[in-house]
Amino acid sequence: MNEARKWLRGFRYAYEGIKYALSTQRNMKFHFMVAFAVLILALFFHLSKLEILFILLSVTLVIVTELINTGVEKAVDLAMPDKHPLAKIAKDAAAASVLVSAVFAVAVGLIVFYDPIDRLFLHIRESADPGKVQEIWVFISIVLMAVTVIQTRYSMSKGAIFRPSMMVAVSFAVSTLISMLVRQTLIILMAYLLSVLLALVLYEKTERSLGSILFSGIFGSFITVLVYVLVQYI
């Protein structure tokens, strides 16, 4: 009975560690959100057993290294509250482990999802025709106006989820338009990659929440697709 209690207690301590990292570390929140989205996409595209195993391996590796990084940072802060070259090396090395695992996860994601996304974009391109150049600028203008209206509505709540970033929304709107114009899937993925990088920079450099950044990207793409559907079918 004592062994069972010790096992359950150890499990609870481990769960407390996950909760602490998730509630205090911005990077951990981002990793969990990305992992959630990737797993949903895995179900949506009906990936094979081997592909899902690689996805699960990548997700686990990123989360584990982020937990280790958090533990190293707190241990170093406890042992050396003041700045010290060795403390910096320890933190940098722990952060590097997260970076390496994240790069591996991105590589796995690009390899695993490329063919399903290529087929999806091919289906979209068969029916997508955003129109003339001046109409494309109308698409972007509508996104700008929609974001401005929502920003005005939530101007008093700085960290509100539904207060989108103008730059992120427009960036994803442009990426969505590129997906309608370009035939090469790799170019489309690179366009969205640039939008994601811009979103990550704003997330790191500003006080916006992760939910606000994610909502901005989804909102920009959604408004673009919505306007296209309305123009084509109404």
Side-chain angles (χ1 to χ4, degrees):
M1 190 66 177
N2 291 333
E3 291 297 327
R5 288 182 179 178
K6 289 180 180 179
W7 184 85
L8 291 175
R9 187 177 302 169
F11 180 81
R12 181 169 60 85
Y13 290 156
Y15 181 64
E16 290 293 332
I18 296 175
K19 288 200 304 181
Y20 173 82
L22 188 59
S23 61
T24 60
Q25 305 299 310
R26 297 181 69 186
N27 289 339
M28 180 62 80
K29 295 177 182 178
F30 173 75
H31 294 324
F32 261 78
M33 292 295 294
V34 172
F36 180 78
V38 167
L39 293 176
I40 293 297
L41 287 176
L43 295 176
F44 176 78
F45 287 121
H46 302 287
L47 298 181
S48 66
K49 182 187 297 185
L50 182 61
E51 290 171 331
I52 291 179
L53 286 175
F54 270 103
I55 293 296
L56 292 176
L57 173 63
S58 303
V59 169
T60 303
L61 186 61
V62 171
I63 292 177
V64 167
T65 52
E66 184 63 45
L67 288 170
I68 295 174
N69 179 50
T70 302
V72 170
E73 286 184 350
K74 298 306 175 184
V76 170
D77 291 338
L78 178 62
M80 184 60 64
D82 299 327
K83 292 184 178 180
H84 192 279
L86 293 179
K88 181 180 184 302
I89 291 174
K91 290 185 176 182
D92 290 346
S97 67
V98 180
L99 177 62
V100 172
S101 64
V103 171
F104 171 74
V106 171
V108 170
L110 291 176
I111 294 172
V112 170
F113 286 109
Y114 182 82
D115 288 337
I117 291 178
D118 184 44
R119 291 192 294 268
L120 177 62
F121 280 138
L122 179 61
H123 175 72
I124 294 174
R125 288 193 297 266
E126 289 177 352
S127 59
D129 182 15
K132 301 177 181 179
V133 174
Q134 61 269 25
E135 294 178 351
I136 294 175
W137 288 110
V138 171
F139 277 68
I140 297 176
S141 299
I142 291 174
V143 173
L144 289 171
M145 294 173 63
V147 172
T148 301
V149 170
I150 294 183
Q151 282 186 339
T152 303
R153 171 65 178 83
Y154 290 96
S155 59
M156 298 303 295
S157 50
K158 193 172 184 179
I161 293 179
F162 299 109
R163 183 174 180 268
S165 165
M166 180 74 73
M167 294 180 64
V168 175
V170 172
S171 176
F172 274 87
V174 172
S175 297
T176 303
L177 288 173
I178 291 175
S179 69
M180 297 178 181
L181 289 169
V182 178
R183 295 287 178 179
Q184 293 81 7
T185 300
L186 182 60
I187 295 178
I188 297 172
L189 293 176
M190 292 175 65
Y192 276 109
L193 177 61
L194 290 176
S195 297
V196 171
L197 291 176
L198 174 63
L200 290 177
V201 170
L202 291 179
Y203 175 65
E204 289 291 334
K205 301 299 182 182
T206 65
E207 297 182 359
R208 289 185 179 275
S209 64
L210 179 60
S212 175
I213 295 295
L214 293 175
F215 174 76
S216 303
I218 295 172
F219 182 78
S221 298
F222 174 76
I223 292 296
T224 304
V225 174
L226 178 63
V227 173
Y228 167 77
V229 172
L230 292 176
V231 170
Q232 295 293 322
Y233 299 105
I234 295 181

